[in-house]
């Protein structure tokens, strides 16, 4: 089981969209996937059609009230993709977790009980570097960083990388940077091309070849409670996320993929 945190403390970079669509793409090629919505805004939950996320125990209850994780997992419309929803209570979770022992390891303890159930666990982190994101990084084997193709793309990235390095040194020596996924790419913009060249110059092979294009269909899909791969499977955004999933599978040497 591979646990991947999707993280960037800068908002509006396509983090949740990337998490939802990558999880869908992985499920579409035969992987068994659990998506954990760790963002109090709950956008990944509603993006998968879980509008009733307060009617069933979610990740807050699993972390703080010790609800069995099986009671918190729900099926989605995508075969092979399960979901643990977020709730607004997560906004207070950092304060609540600060009172308990091993507070950085709480999510890892929850996930480890599912070792034989999933090929991938995808964690949608909040747009901050607080205790929730630290829990996600401690629980994960790798971190994927969505990076918007804009002028301020690299702003704050060094802070995130420093956080990853501190986690590696003190809490999770096995954490790896899976890669940087460039999002909202507009081929008509010379500025986008400049940003892409700059990021590839600084991070080399850590930057995925696939770039996620700026797309109306990608933006529309969440309002219908669907990943873009379900909303419009032939759109450029859908194809890009399938290609990104293929890169991840190849990079991690996964061979049991459905035809």
């Amino acid at each position: 089981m591979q646990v991947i945190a999707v993280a960037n403390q800068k908002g509006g970079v396509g983090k949740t969209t990337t998490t939802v669509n990558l999880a869908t793409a992985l499920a579409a090629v035969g992987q068994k996937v659990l998506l954990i919505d760790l963002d109090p805004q709950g956008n990944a939950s509603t993006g998968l059609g879980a509008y009733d996320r307060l009617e069933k125990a979610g990740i807050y209850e699993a972390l703080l009230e010790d609800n069995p994780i099986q009671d918190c997992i729900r099926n989605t419309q995508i075969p092979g993709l399960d979901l643990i929803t977020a709730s607004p209570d997560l906004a207070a979770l950092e304060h609540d977790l600060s009172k308990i022992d091993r507070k950085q390891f709480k999510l890892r303890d929850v996930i480890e009980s599912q070792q034989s159930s999933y090929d991938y666990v995808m964690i949608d982190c909040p747009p901050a570097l607080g205790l929730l994101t630290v829990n996600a990084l401690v629980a994960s084997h790798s971190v994927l960083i969505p990076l918007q193709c804009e002028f301020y793309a690299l702003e704050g990235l060094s802070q995130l990388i420093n956080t990853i390095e501190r986690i590696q040194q003190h809490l999770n020596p096995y954490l790896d940077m899976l890669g940087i996924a460039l999002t909202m790419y507009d081929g008509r913009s010379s500025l986008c091309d400049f940003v892409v060249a700059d990021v590839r110059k600084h991070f080399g092979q850590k930057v995925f070849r696939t770039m996620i294009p700026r797309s109306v269909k990608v933006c529309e899909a969440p309002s219908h409670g669907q990943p873009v791969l379900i909303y419009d499977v032939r759109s450029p955004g859908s194809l890009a996320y399938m290609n990104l999933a293929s890169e991840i599978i190849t990079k991690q040497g996964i061979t049991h993929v459905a035809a």
Side-chain angles (χ1 to χ4, degrees):
M1 184 176 73
Q2 290 295 312
V3 184
I4 302 174
V6 183
N8 191 326
Q9 79 274 24
K10 182 174 169 54
V13 300
K15 175 182 57 63
T16 296
T17 299
T18 295
T19 309
V20 167
N21 285 287
L22 262 184
T24 303
L26 290 167
V29 294
Q31 303 296 289
K32 182 67 174 171
V33 185
L34 174 65
L35 191 155
I36 298 176
D37 189 351
L38 204 61
D39 187 342
Q41 298 175 85
N43 291 333
S45 300
T46 54
L48 285 170
Y51 300 108
D52 60 337
R53 56 196 178 99
L54 298 182
E55 296 181 12
K56 181 181 175 72
I59 193 60
Y60 178 87
E61 289 77 12
L63 291 173
L64 229 5
E65 298 178 7
D66 294 324
N67 282 38
I69 189 171
Q70 290 299 338
D71 293 346
C72 304
I73 295 173
R74 63 171 77 194
N75 302 126
T76 70
Q77 60 190 309
I78 296 101
L81 174 57
D82 292 340
L83 170 69
I84 301 181
T85 60
S87 74
D89 291 334
L90 277 175
L93 188 65
E94 302 216 0
H95 175 265
D96 296 336
L97 281 176
S98 67
K99 303 174 185 177
I100 66 175
D101 294 331
R102 301 181 76 254
K103 55 184 177 289
Q104 302 97 331
F105 297 90
K106 194 66 177 174
L107 182 60
R108 189 178 77 176
D109 294 341
V110 167
I111 290 174
E112 283 185 344
S113 67
Q114 298 299 303
Q115 282 286 352
S116 61
S117 302
Y118 296 97
D119 299 305
Y120 284 92
V121 175
M122 304 285 298
I123 306 172
D124 186 37
C125 297
L129 294 179
L131 192 52
L132 284 172
T133 298
V134 168
N135 258 265
L137 296 176
V138 171
S140 297
H141 301 106
S142 57
V143 55
L144 187 152
I145 304 172
L147 197 67
Q148 185 177 358
C149 295
E150 65 165 21
F151 183 71
Y152 294 111
L154 297 178
E155 188 178 83
L157 185 57
S158 60
Q159 185 182 0
L160 174 57
I161 291 174
N162 288 337
T163 298
I164 292 169
E165 290 174 348
R166 289 199 301 272
I167 296 293
Q168 290 169 328
Q169 291 169 9
H170 302 293
L171 296 169
N172 181 6
Y174 305 105
L175 180 65
D176 180 40
M177 193 169 88
L178 180 61
I180 296 172
L182 295 166
T183 63
M184 304 182 193
Y185 174 73
D186 185 347
R188 301 167 299 178
S189 167
S190 59
L191 176 59
C192 273
D193 288 331
F194 173 81
V195 171
V196 169
D198 196 33
V199 173
R200 292 195 187 280
K201 177 182 176 181
H202 281 86
F203 295 98
Q205 296 301 313
K206 283 296 184 182
V207 185
F208 288 103
R209 294 188 305 276
T210 302
M211 295 184 291
I212 309 303
R214 189 177 292 277
S215 164
V216 172
K217 296 297 184 182
V218 170
C219 295
E220 288 177 351
S223 67
H224 296 269
Q226 295 180 334
V228 71
L229 278 87
I230 302 298
Y231 181 66
D232 187 349
V233 70
R234 294 183 178 85
S235 71
S238 293
L239 298 175
Y241 277 117
M242 288 298 293
N243 288 335
L244 183 57
S246 178
E247 279 196 67
I248 289 172
I249 289 170
T250 300
K251 193 170 188 176
Q252 296 189 319
I254 305 297
T255 57
H256 55 290
V257 177

PDB file of all heavy atoms in Angstrom, residues 90-116:
ATOM      1  N   LEU A  90     -12.893  19.558  11.725  1.00  0.00           N
ATOM      2  CA  LEU A  90     -11.446  19.448  11.516  1.00  0.00           C
ATOM      3  C   LEU A  90     -10.735  20.765  11.802  1.00  0.00           C
ATOM      4  O   LEU A  90      -9.548  20.771  12.120  1.00  0.00           O
ATOM      5  CB  LEU A  90     -11.144  19.022  10.079  1.00  0.00           C
ATOM      6  CG  LEU A  90     -11.216  17.531   9.755  1.00  0.00           C
ATOM      7  CD1 LEU A  90     -10.996  17.318   8.264  1.00  0.00           C
ATOM      8  CD2 LEU A  90     -10.189  16.746  10.554  1.00  0.00           C
ATOM      9  N   ALA A  91     -11.442  21.881  11.673  1.00  0.00           N
ATOM     10  CA  ALA A  91     -10.819  23.179  11.929  1.00  0.00           C
ATOM     11  C   ALA A  91     -10.316  23.284  13.360  1.00  0.00           C
ATOM     12  O   ALA A  91      -9.354  24.011  13.636  1.00  0.00           O
ATOM     13  CB  ALA A  91     -11.813  24.302  11.626  1.00  0.00           C
ATOM     14  N   ALA A  92     -10.968  22.556  14.275  1.00  0.00           N
ATOM     15  CA  ALA A  92     -10.547  22.576  15.677  1.00  0.00           C
ATOM     16  C   ALA A  92      -9.639  21.414  16.033  1.00  0.00           C
ATOM     17  O   ALA A  92      -9.181  21.307  17.176  1.00  0.00           O
ATOM     18  CB  ALA A  92     -11.779  22.557  16.584  1.00  0.00           C
ATOM     19  N   LEU A  93      -9.362  20.551  15.056  1.00  0.00           N
ATOM     20  CA  LEU A  93      -8.629  19.329  15.357  1.00  0.00           C
ATOM     21  C   LEU A  93      -7.206  19.600  15.819  1.00  0.00           C
ATOM     22  O   LEU A  93      -6.683  18.900  16.686  1.00  0.00           O
ATOM     23  CB  LEU A  93      -8.607  18.407  14.130  1.00  0.00           C
ATOM     24  CG  LEU A  93      -8.038  17.011  14.364  1.00  0.00           C
ATOM     25  CD1 LEU A  93      -8.930  16.232  15.331  1.00  0.00           C
ATOM     26  CD2 LEU A  93      -7.902  16.250  13.065  1.00  0.00           C
ATOM     27  N   GLU A  94      -6.567  20.618  15.255  1.00  0.00           N
ATOM     28  CA  GLU A  94      -5.187  20.909  15.641  1.00  0.00           C
ATOM     29  C   GLU A  94      -5.122  21.227  17.129  1.00  0.00           C
ATOM     30  O   GLU A  94      -4.223  20.755  17.833  1.00  0.00           O
ATOM     31  CB  GLU A  94      -4.640  22.061  14.805  1.00  0.00           C
ATOM     32  CG  GLU A  94      -4.686  21.764  13.320  1.00  0.00           C
ATOM     33  CD  GLU A  94      -3.511  22.339  12.565  1.00  0.00           C
ATOM     34  OE1 GLU A  94      -2.655  22.978  13.194  1.00  0.00           O
ATOM     35  OE2 GLU A  94      -3.445  22.125  11.344  1.00  0.00           O
ATOM     36  N   HIS A  95      -6.085  21.982  17.618  1.00  0.00           N
ATOM     37  CA  HIS A  95      -6.126  22.285  19.055  1.00  0.00           C
ATOM     38  C   HIS A  95      -6.397  21.033  19.863  1.00  0.00           C
ATOM     39  O   HIS A  95      -5.764  20.783  20.897  1.00  0.00           O
ATOM     40  CB  HIS A  95      -7.198  23.342  19.323  1.00  0.00           C
ATOM     41  CG  HIS A  95      -7.387  23.636  20.776  1.00  0.00           C
ATOM     42  ND1 HIS A  95      -8.354  23.020  21.539  1.00  0.00           N
ATOM     43  CD2 HIS A  95      -6.710  24.464  21.614  1.00  0.00           C
ATOM     44  CE1 HIS A  95      -8.280  23.463  22.783  1.00  0.00           C
ATOM     45  NE2 HIS A  95      -7.295  24.339  22.859  1.00  0.00           N
ATOM     46  N   ASP A  96      -7.315  20.198  19.371  1.00  0.00           N
ATOM     47  CA  ASP A  96      -7.669  18.980  20.104  1.00  0.00           C
ATOM     48  C   ASP A  96      -6.503  17.984  20.123  1.00  0.00           C
ATOM     49  O   ASP A  96      -6.236  17.353  21.141  1.00  0.00           O
ATOM     50  CB  ASP A  96      -8.905  18.319  19.467  1.00  0.00           C
ATOM     51  CG  ASP A  96     -10.139  19.199  19.567  1.00  0.00           C
ATOM     52  OD1 ASP A  96     -10.183  20.047  20.474  1.00  0.00           O
ATOM     53  OD2 ASP A  96     -11.040  19.057  18.724  1.00  0.00           O
ATOM     54  N   LEU A  97      -5.822  17.851  18.986  1.00  0.00           N
ATOM     55  CA  LEU A  97      -4.707  16.912  18.921  1.00  0.00           C
ATOM     56  C   LEU A  97      -3.539  17.344  19.800  1.00  0.00           C
ATOM     57  O   LEU A  97      -2.777  16.501  20.281  1.00  0.00           O
ATOM     58  CB  LEU A  97      -4.211  16.779  17.472  1.00  0.00           C
ATOM     59  CG  LEU A  97      -5.017  15.895  16.527  1.00  0.00           C
ATOM     60  CD1 LEU A  97      -4.437  15.962  15.120  1.00  0.00           C
ATOM     61  CD2 LEU A  97      -5.037  14.451  16.997  1.00  0.00           C
ATOM     62  N   SER A  98      -3.388  18.628  19.992  1.00  0.00           N
ATOM     63  CA  SER A  98      -2.248  19.131  20.764  1.00  0.00           C
ATOM     64  C   SER A  98      -2.269  18.647  22.207  1.00  0.00           C
ATOM     65  O   SER A  98      -1.249  18.697  22.897  1.00  0.00           O
ATOM     66  CB  SER A  98      -2.225  20.667  20.732  1.00  0.00           C
ATOM     67  OG  SER A  98      -3.330  21.207  21.425  1.00  0.00           O
ATOM     68  N   LYS A  99      -3.400  18.125  22.655  1.00  0.00           N
ATOM     69  CA  LYS A  99      -3.539  17.696  24.050  1.00  0.00           C
ATOM     70  C   LYS A  99      -3.188  16.226  24.256  1.00  0.00           C
ATOM     71  O   LYS A  99      -3.163  15.751  25.395  1.00  0.00           O
ATOM     72  CB  LYS A  99      -4.987  17.925  24.511  1.00  0.00           C
ATOM     73  CG  LYS A  99      -5.474  19.353  24.377  1.00  0.00           C
ATOM     74  CD  LYS A  99      -6.961  19.442  24.721  1.00  0.00           C
ATOM     75  CE  LYS A  99      -7.496  20.841  24.487  1.00  0.00           C
ATOM     76  NZ  LYS A  99      -8.961  20.919  24.748  1.00  0.00           N
ATOM     77  N   ILE A 100      -2.932  15.489  23.159  1.00  0.00           N
ATOM     78  CA  ILE A 100      -2.741  14.052  23.306  1.00  0.00           C
ATOM     79  C   ILE A 100      -1.299  13.659  23.003  1.00  0.00           C
ATOM     80  O   ILE A 100      -0.552  14.405  22.358  1.00  0.00           O
ATOM     81  CB  ILE A 100      -3.704  13.258  22.398  1.00  0.00           C
ATOM     82  CG1 ILE A 100      -3.361  13.500  20.922  1.00  0.00           C
ATOM     83  CG2 ILE A 100      -5.156  13.653  22.670  1.00  0.00           C
ATOM     84  CD1 ILE A 100      -4.174  12.658  19.974  1.00  0.00           C
ATOM     85  N   ASP A 101      -0.906  12.471  23.473  1.00  0.00           N
ATOM     86  CA  ASP A 101       0.427  11.954  23.197  1.00  0.00           C
ATOM     87  C   ASP A 101       0.520  11.501  21.733  1.00  0.00           C
ATOM     88  O   ASP A 101      -0.473  11.124  21.123  1.00  0.00           O
ATOM     89  CB  ASP A 101       0.730  10.761  24.114  1.00  0.00           C
ATOM     90  CG  ASP A 101       0.817  11.177  25.581  1.00  0.00           C
ATOM     91  OD1 ASP A 101       1.182  12.339  25.836  1.00  0.00           O
ATOM     92  OD2 ASP A 101       0.506  10.341  26.449  1.00  0.00           O
ATOM     93  N   ARG A 102       1.728  11.522  21.198  1.00  0.00           N
ATOM     94  CA  ARG A 102       1.998  11.071  19.834  1.00  0.00           C
ATOM     95  C   ARG A 102       1.045  11.731  18.838  1.00  0.00           C
ATOM     96  O   ARG A 102       0.520  11.105  17.921  1.00  0.00           O
ATOM     97  CB  ARG A 102       1.899   9.543  19.727  1.00  0.00           C
ATOM     98  CG  ARG A 102       2.854   8.788  20.625  1.00  0.00           C
ATOM     99  CD  ARG A 102       2.748   7.278  20.467  1.00  0.00           C
ATOM    100  NE  ARG A 102       3.397   6.832  19.237  1.00  0.00           N
ATOM    101  CZ  ARG A 102       2.750   6.433  18.161  1.00  0.00           C
ATOM    102  NH1 ARG A 102       1.426   6.430  18.143  1.00  0.00           N
ATOM    103  NH2 ARG A 102       3.408   6.039  17.074  1.00  0.00           N
ATOM    104  N   LYS A 103       0.840  13.006  19.019  1.00  0.00           N
ATOM    105  CA  LYS A 103      -0.148  13.713  18.206  1.00  0.00           C
ATOM    106  C   LYS A 103       0.201  13.736  16.718  1.00  0.00           C
ATOM    107  O   LYS A 103      -0.678  13.803  15.870  1.00  0.00           O
ATOM    108  CB  LYS A 103      -0.331  15.138  18.712  1.00  0.00           C
ATOM    109  CG  LYS A 103       0.937  15.977  18.811  1.00  0.00           C
ATOM    110  CD  LYS A 103       0.637  17.337  19.418  1.00  0.00           C
ATOM    111  CE  LYS A 103       1.904  18.172  19.595  1.00  0.00           C
ATOM    112  NZ  LYS A 103       2.741  17.615  20.693  1.00  0.00           N
ATOM    113  N   GLN A 104       1.495  13.637  16.398  1.00  0.00           N
ATOM    114  CA  GLN A 104       1.888  13.653  14.987  1.00  0.00           C
ATOM    115  C   GLN A 104       1.644  12.304  14.296  1.00  0.00           C
ATOM    116  O   GLN A 104       1.695  12.216  13.074  1.00  0.00           O
ATOM    117  CB  GLN A 104       3.377  13.996  14.837  1.00  0.00           C
ATOM    118  CG  GLN A 104       3.766  15.329  15.449  1.00  0.00           C
ATOM    119  CD  GLN A 104       4.348  15.153  16.849  1.00  0.00           C
ATOM    120  OE1 GLN A 104       3.993  14.198  17.542  1.00  0.00           O
ATOM    121  NE2 GLN A 104       5.219  16.064  17.254  1.00  0.00           N
ATOM    122  N   PHE A 105       1.400  11.255  15.073  1.00  0.00           N
ATOM    123  CA  PHE A 105       1.295   9.902  14.526  1.00  0.00           C
ATOM    124  C   PHE A 105      -0.146   9.390  14.468  1.00  0.00           C
ATOM    125  O   PHE A 105      -0.380   8.245  14.102  1.00  0.00           O
ATOM    126  CB  PHE A 105       2.131   8.934  15.369  1.00  0.00           C
ATOM    127  CG  PHE A 105       3.597   9.244  15.345  1.00  0.00           C
ATOM    128  CD1 PHE A 105       4.151  10.105  16.278  1.00  0.00           C
ATOM    129  CD2 PHE A 105       4.434   8.684  14.395  1.00  0.00           C
ATOM    130  CE1 PHE A 105       5.508  10.404  16.270  1.00  0.00           C
ATOM    131  CE2 PHE A 105       5.786   8.971  14.366  1.00  0.00           C
ATOM    132  CZ  PHE A 105       6.327   9.835  15.310  1.00  0.00           C
ATOM    133  N   LYS A 106      -1.098  10.227  14.826  1.00  0.00           N
ATOM    134  CA  LYS A 106      -2.483   9.766  14.949  1.00  0.00           C
ATOM    135  C   LYS A 106      -3.025   9.244  13.616  1.00  0.00           C
ATOM    136  O   LYS A 106      -3.650   8.185  13.554  1.00  0.00           O
ATOM    137  CB  LYS A 106      -3.353  10.909  15.471  1.00  0.00           C
ATOM    138  CG  LYS A 106      -4.716  10.481  15.963  1.00  0.00           C
ATOM    139  CD  LYS A 106      -4.634   9.614  17.196  1.00  0.00           C
ATOM    140  CE  LYS A 106      -6.036   9.278  17.705  1.00  0.00           C
ATOM    141  NZ  LYS A 106      -6.004   8.330  18.823  1.00  0.00           N
ATOM    142  N   LEU A 107      -2.783   9.976  12.541  1.00  0.00           N
ATOM    143  CA  LEU A 107      -3.288   9.539  11.241  1.00  0.00           C
ATOM    144  C   LEU A 107      -2.578   8.268  10.776  1.00  0.00           C
ATOM    145  O   LEU A 107      -3.202   7.378  10.199  1.00  0.00           O
ATOM    146  CB  LEU A 107      -3.133  10.650  10.200  1.00  0.00           C
ATOM    147  CG  LEU A 107      -3.668  10.342   8.801  1.00  0.00           C
ATOM    148  CD1 LEU A 107      -5.164  10.034   8.837  1.00  0.00           C
ATOM    149  CD2 LEU A 107      -3.391  11.504   7.853  1.00  0.00           C
ATOM    150  N   ARG A 108      -1.284   8.176  11.014  1.00  0.00           N
ATOM    151  CA  ARG A 108      -0.556   6.969  10.620  1.00  0.00           C
ATOM    152  C   ARG A 108      -1.135   5.737  11.309  1.00  0.00           C
ATOM    153  O   ARG A 108      -1.304   4.686  10.686  1.00  0.00           O
ATOM    154  CB  ARG A 108       0.932   7.093  10.958  1.00  0.00           C
ATOM    155  CG  ARG A 108       1.757   5.956  10.369  1.00  0.00           C
ATOM    156  CD  ARG A 108       3.223   6.098  10.671  1.00  0.00           C
ATOM    157  NE  ARG A 108       3.534   5.699  12.049  1.00  0.00           N
ATOM    158  CZ  ARG A 108       4.764   5.657  12.553  1.00  0.00           C
ATOM    159  NH1 ARG A 108       5.794   6.030  11.812  1.00  0.00           N
ATOM    160  NH2 ARG A 108       4.977   5.285  13.793  1.00  0.00           N
ATOM    161  N   ASP A 109      -1.472   5.860  12.579  1.00  0.00           N
ATOM    162  CA  ASP A 109      -2.049   4.738  13.310  1.00  0.00           C
ATOM    163  C   ASP A 109      -3.380   4.315  12.693  1.00  0.00           C
ATOM    164  O   ASP A 109      -3.692   3.117  12.626  1.00  0.00           O
ATOM    165  CB  ASP A 109      -2.250   5.106  14.781  1.00  0.00           C
ATOM    166  CG  ASP A 109      -0.925   5.334  15.516  1.00  0.00           C
ATOM    167  OD1 ASP A 109       0.114   4.871  14.999  1.00  0.00           O
ATOM    168  OD2 ASP A 109      -0.938   5.974  16.582  1.00  0.00           O
ATOM    169  N   VAL A 110      -4.170   5.297  12.260  1.00  0.00           N
ATOM    170  CA  VAL A 110      -5.463   4.996  11.644  1.00  0.00           C
ATOM    171  C   VAL A 110      -5.267   4.277  10.307  1.00  0.00           C
ATOM    172  O   VAL A 110      -5.916   3.274  10.011  1.00  0.00           O
ATOM    173  CB  VAL A 110      -6.275   6.294  11.437  1.00  0.00           C
ATOM    174  CG1 VAL A 110      -7.472   6.049  10.517  1.00  0.00           C
ATOM    175  CG2 VAL A 110      -6.747   6.841  12.785  1.00  0.00           C
ATOM    176  N   ILE A 111      -4.350   4.768   9.484  1.00  0.00           N
ATOM    177  CA  ILE A 111      -4.147   4.219   8.145  1.00  0.00           C
ATOM    178  C   ILE A 111      -3.545   2.821   8.189  1.00  0.00           C
ATOM    179  O   ILE A 111      -3.892   1.952   7.369  1.00  0.00           O
ATOM    180  CB  ILE A 111      -3.250   5.165   7.317  1.00  0.00           C
ATOM    181  CG1 ILE A 111      -4.023   6.451   6.988  1.00  0.00           C
ATOM    182  CG2 ILE A 111      -2.767   4.490   6.033  1.00  0.00           C
ATOM    183  CD1 ILE A 111      -3.181   7.511   6.307  1.00  0.00           C
ATOM    184  N   GLU A 112      -2.657   2.569   9.140  1.00  0.00           N
ATOM    185  CA  GLU A 112      -1.952   1.284   9.172  1.00  0.00           C
ATOM    186  C   GLU A 112      -2.894   0.095   9.346  1.00  0.00           C
ATOM    187  O   GLU A 112      -2.547  -1.026   8.984  1.00  0.00           O
ATOM    188  CB  GLU A 112      -0.882   1.293  10.260  1.00  0.00           C
ATOM    189  CG  GLU A 112       0.366   2.074   9.847  1.00  0.00           C
ATOM    190  CD  GLU A 112       1.475   1.994  10.876  1.00  0.00           C
ATOM    191  OE1 GLU A 112       1.182   1.602  12.042  1.00  0.00           O
ATOM    192  OE2 GLU A 112       2.613   2.350  10.533  1.00  0.00           O
ATOM    193  N   SER A 113      -4.076   0.340   9.864  1.00  0.00           N
ATOM    194  CA  SER A 113      -5.033  -0.754  10.025  1.00  0.00           C
ATOM    195  C   SER A 113      -5.598  -1.224   8.685  1.00  0.00           C
ATOM    196  O   SER A 113      -6.272  -2.248   8.621  1.00  0.00           O
ATOM    197  CB  SER A 113      -6.186  -0.315  10.940  1.00  0.00           C
ATOM    198  OG  SER A 113      -6.966   0.699  10.315  1.00  0.00           O
ATOM    199  N   GLN A 114      -5.306  -0.476   7.603  1.00  0.00           N
ATOM    200  CA  GLN A 114      -5.852  -0.801   6.279  1.00  0.00           C
ATOM    201  C   GLN A 114      -4.796  -1.331   5.320  1.00  0.00           C
ATOM    202  O   GLN A 114      -4.987  -1.328   4.109  1.00  0.00           O
ATOM    203  CB  GLN A 114      -6.504   0.454   5.679  1.00  0.00           C
ATOM    204  CG  GLN A 114      -7.670   0.986   6.483  1.00  0.00           C
ATOM    205  CD  GLN A 114      -8.786  -0.030   6.593  1.00  0.00           C
ATOM    206  OE1 GLN A 114      -9.308  -0.512   5.592  1.00  0.00           O
ATOM    207  NE2 GLN A 114      -9.154  -0.372   7.818  1.00  0.00           N
ATOM    208  N   GLN A 115      -3.678  -1.809   5.851  1.00  0.00           N
ATOM    209  CA  GLN A 115      -2.550  -2.207   5.017  1.00  0.00           C
ATOM    210  C   GLN A 115      -2.919  -3.173   3.893  1.00  0.00           C
ATOM    211  O   GLN A 115      -2.409  -3.076   2.783  1.00  0.00           O
ATOM    212  CB  GLN A 115      -1.455  -2.851   5.891  1.00  0.00           C
ATOM    213  CG  GLN A 115      -0.618  -1.866   6.663  1.00  0.00           C
ATOM    214  CD  GLN A 115       0.375  -1.108   5.793  1.00  0.00           C
ATOM    215  OE1 GLN A 115       0.553  -1.417   4.628  1.00  0.00           O
ATOM    216  NE2 GLN A 115       1.015  -0.116   6.357  1.00  0.00           N
ATOM    217  N   SER A 116      -3.793  -4.118   4.162  1.00  0.00           N
ATOM    218  CA  SER A 116      -4.103  -5.138   3.153  1.00  0.00           C
ATOM    219  C   SER A 116      -5.340  -4.797   2.321  1.00  0.00           C
ATOM    220  O   SER A 116      -5.737  -5.585   1.456  1.00  0.00           O
ATOM    221  CB  SER A 116      -4.329  -6.491   3.838  1.00  0.00           C
ATOM    222  OG  SER A 116      -5.422  -6.414   4.737  1.00  0.00           O
TER     223      SER A 116
END
